[in-house]
Amino acid sequence: MKSLRSLKFQPYVSVVLVALNVLVFLVCNFTGNLLYDKGMLNVFGVLVNGEYGRILWAMFLHNGMSHIFNNMLILFFLGSMIEKETGHVRYGVLYFLAGIGGNLFSLFVKVVNDDISSSLGASGAVFGLDGVLLAMVLFSGRNLENVTPARVLLMILYTLYSGFTGHNIDNAAHIGGLVTGFAAASVMCFWQRWRRGKLY
């Protein structure tokens, strides 16, 4: 029974997400610009050509070793912690909602600013995990070991600051992912607390 319980809490989804991102990155190194041309997020591709899949595919593309390494490092460690608390399915849903929300907000900002540039990366979804963690600390009603609202807020502020002081960074995707992750996880937390109140 104990071994079955331990298997249940293994971060399978986080591992699969990291593996998929790394696999796509390796394939990109052998196929040149093929996947980038078909998957990067830009206004022309999505809104003019109707290639809505770019909103999802861009989450799996990275433009260099440091880009993918930083995203995957955070995704694995932060994602594993959140997945243990939420369960595999909820975690996967929250991750993709945050990534899609981040990319949609990025598109909105591009349209407003007449920006024809392309963007890519899992950063929007990764920032979404920060939002998920903040919502869980504030609203889940459970104590998360060594995690406090102040620590999470400091982490979020630091990562946002790093984004705004860096170059060629899609901060709109970061903000959109953060807000989407926080909103989705808040709904999840209140729904779970409501269920517990009704059941017990």
Side-chain angles (χ1 to χ4, degrees), residues 3 9 24 34 39 44 52 58 67 106 115 120 122 125 127 129 154-155 158-159 168 175 186 196-197 200:
S3 61
F9 292 119
V24 170
L34 178 63
F44 185 83
Y52 302 110
H67 189 205
S106 174
D115 184 356
L120 71 173
F127 264 81
L129 296 182
L154 282 174
M155 177 178 67
Y158 174 75
T159 49
N168 297 321
I175 294 171
S186 297
R196 289 199 297 267
Y200 303 107

Side-chain angles (χ1 to χ4, degrees), residues 21 41 55-56 58-62 67 70-72 74-75 78 93-106 119-132 156 159-160 169-182:
N21 276 276
L41 186 73
I55 297 170
L56 178 64
M59 293 168 55
F60 293 93
L61 297 172
H62 293 84
H67 189 205
N70 292 334
N71 277 343
M72 293 305 101
I74 299 171
L75 170 57
L78 182 57
V93 170
L94 290 170
Y95 179 85
F96 281 103
L97 281 178
I100 291 170
N103 283 346
L104 287 174
F105 188 64
S106 174
S119 55
L120 71 173
S123 303
V126 170
F127 264 81
L129 296 182
D130 289 334
V132 169
I156 290 172
T159 49
L160 285 174
I169 295 175
D170 190 350
N171 290 295
H174 294 177
I175 294 171
L178 177 68
V179 172
T180 303
F182 179 78

Side-chain angles (χ1 to χ4, degrees), residues 67-169:
H67 189 205
I68 190 170
F69 178 79
N70 292 334
N71 277 343
M72 293 305 101
L73 189 67
I74 299 171
L75 170 57
F76 179 74
F77 287 105
L78 182 57
S80 296
M81 180 175 66
I82 294 173
E83 185 175 352
K84 180 179 178 181
E85 296 294 329
T86 62
H88 309 305
V89 175
R90 290 192 186 99
Y91 168 72
V93 170
L94 290 170
Y95 179 85
F96 281 103
L97 281 178
I100 291 170
N103 283 346
L104 287 174
F105 188 64
S106 174
L107 275 178
F108 171 76
V109 172
K110 288 179 190 297
V111 170
V112 170
N113 293 324
D114 291 324
D115 184 356
I116 61 171
S117 67
S118 298
S119 55
L120 71 173
S123 303
V126 170
F127 264 81
L129 296 182
D130 289 334
V132 169
L133 185 61
L134 180 60
M136 289 173 60
V137 171
L138 292 174
F139 306 131
S140 70
R142 301 196 305 269
N143 290 324
L144 302 179
E145 188 176 356
N146 298 320
V147 180
T148 64
R151 289 181 178 179
V152 178
L153 282 171
L154 282 174
M155 177 178 67
I156 290 172
L157 290 174
Y158 174 75
T159 49
L160 285 174
Y161 171 78
S162 298
F164 280 105
T165 55
H167 300 287
N168 297 321
I169 295 175

